[in-house]
Amino acid sequence: MSATGQTRALTPPDIAARKGKAPLVCLTAYTTPIAKLVDPHCDVVLVGDSVGMVLHGLPSTLGVTLDMMIMHGKAVRRGLERVLMVVDMPFGSYEASPEQAFRNAARVMAETGSAAVKLEGGEAMAETIRFLVGRGIPVMAHVGLTPQAVNAFGGYRVQGRGEDAKRIRCDALAVAEAGAFSVVLEKVPEPLARRITEELSIPTIGIGASLACDGQILVVDDMLGLFSDFRPKFVKRYADLGQAASAAIAAYAQEVRERRFPAAEHVFGDKPKTVSGGEAA
Ligand code: KIV
């Protein structure tokens, strides 16, 4: 039984129906063990292309491939029972044409078992979203700071300040109109995120956006304190597992150097014991 009392797996229509209701709890995951930890507590798990920076040490998400997303998607799937799993479409796998997007999104869904994909972009991606949705592929959209466009933006900057608010608002309206079942709003000014949330009929999922959004998402390694290369203002650390891991590794290293590990309880005798409760062979 999950922390929320829900038993069957959530679907994209379930998520869409949460508009204006209890906040949607969303986190990324890239591996089976983390997926198992996240599943009882969340509504959506995103296999984000942030995996490239977080687990593979890439300088941005631009080098992430479809094969990487599929490999991590399969790993996450094995750890889930009840949340909706969404897999990110990586840079270069969907922008060329709706047909390219369909081919690659269908492969992601068939090979990972995900029920939806996420792709970045607003008005420019509306036709592609409509094409996918019309052919049975639920789409989570992503507007505001879209990290795959970091070079076009000149950095990971807040999007939609001042006059630029109109562009982000049009992007959000366009993806909703095209049939996306939800939309991530990343790094947009709070009043704009609030206004877009009021205007749209689909849930908004904020990251560096607003408390008023219909849900929130964070990169799991950021909130657990496992990834420190890059720490945006919107990340709240709920644990410092990086610090705990570093202390554990240092203790192990010291015990090995001082010949204190392995101790008697970590090694095996000459003959396996035959009586029950004895040591394993
Ligand atoms: O790739 C990712 O993790 C994301 C979230 C930050 C929304 O797109």
Side-chain angles (χ1 to χ4, degrees), residues 28-40 55 72 74-80 220 224:
T28 66
Y30 318 112
T31 62
T32 311
I34 295 288
K36 283 184 181 170
L37 293 175
V38 165
D39 188 64
L55 290 197
H72 287 285
K74 283 178 176 171
V76 169
R77 181 73 253 158
R78 289 179 208 121
L80 302 180
V220 72
L224 293 178

Side-chain angles (χ1 to χ4, degrees), residues 49-202:
D49 62 351
S50 49
V51 68
M53 297 171 79
V54 173
L55 290 197
H56 294 266
L58 294 174
S60 73
T61 56
L62 300 186
V64 175
T65 64
L66 202 61
D67 286 342
M68 285 165 77
M69 296 311 302
I70 289 172
M71 182 185 70
H72 287 285
K74 283 178 176 171
V76 169
R77 181 73 253 158
R78 289 179 208 121
L80 302 180
E81 283 178 21
R82 49 166 298 279
V83 296
L84 173 70
M85 178 170 114
V86 180
V87 177
D88 247 342
M89 298 298 291
F91 181 62
S93 71
Y94 61 95
E95 302 90 328
S97 66
E99 289 79 7
Q100 180 211 26
F102 180 82
R103 223 175 12 258
N104 288 327
R107 191 178 150 213
V108 164
M109 290 174 72
E111 294 188 29
T112 68
S114 79
V117 297
K118 176 166 85 58
L119 55 83
E120 297 184 6
E123 277 191 294
M125 281 299 127
E127 185 196 343
T128 295
I129 293 173
R130 191 169 289 108
F131 190 88
L132 296 182
V133 172
R135 286 158 180 77
I137 299 191
V139 177
M140 175 182 280
H142 184 159
V143 307
L145 172 65
T146 46
Q148 292 172 13
V150 59
N151 293 310
F153 293 145
Y156 296 101
R157 301 177 203 289
V158 174
Q159 298 294 312
R161 284 196 165 125
E163 288 298 300
D164 198 33
K166 193 168 160 231
R167 174 177 66 89
I168 303 299
R169 196 176 147 257
C170 289
D171 279 343
L173 292 170
V175 297
E177 217 260 319
F181 72 90
S182 59
V183 57
V184 171
L185 301 180
E186 179 164 352
K187 223 169 169 183
V188 297
E190 197 280 336
L192 176 61
R194 185 177 289 273
R195 179 172 174 203
I196 290 173
T197 300
E198 281 164 12
E199 280 181 320
L200 293 193
S201 58
I202 58 170

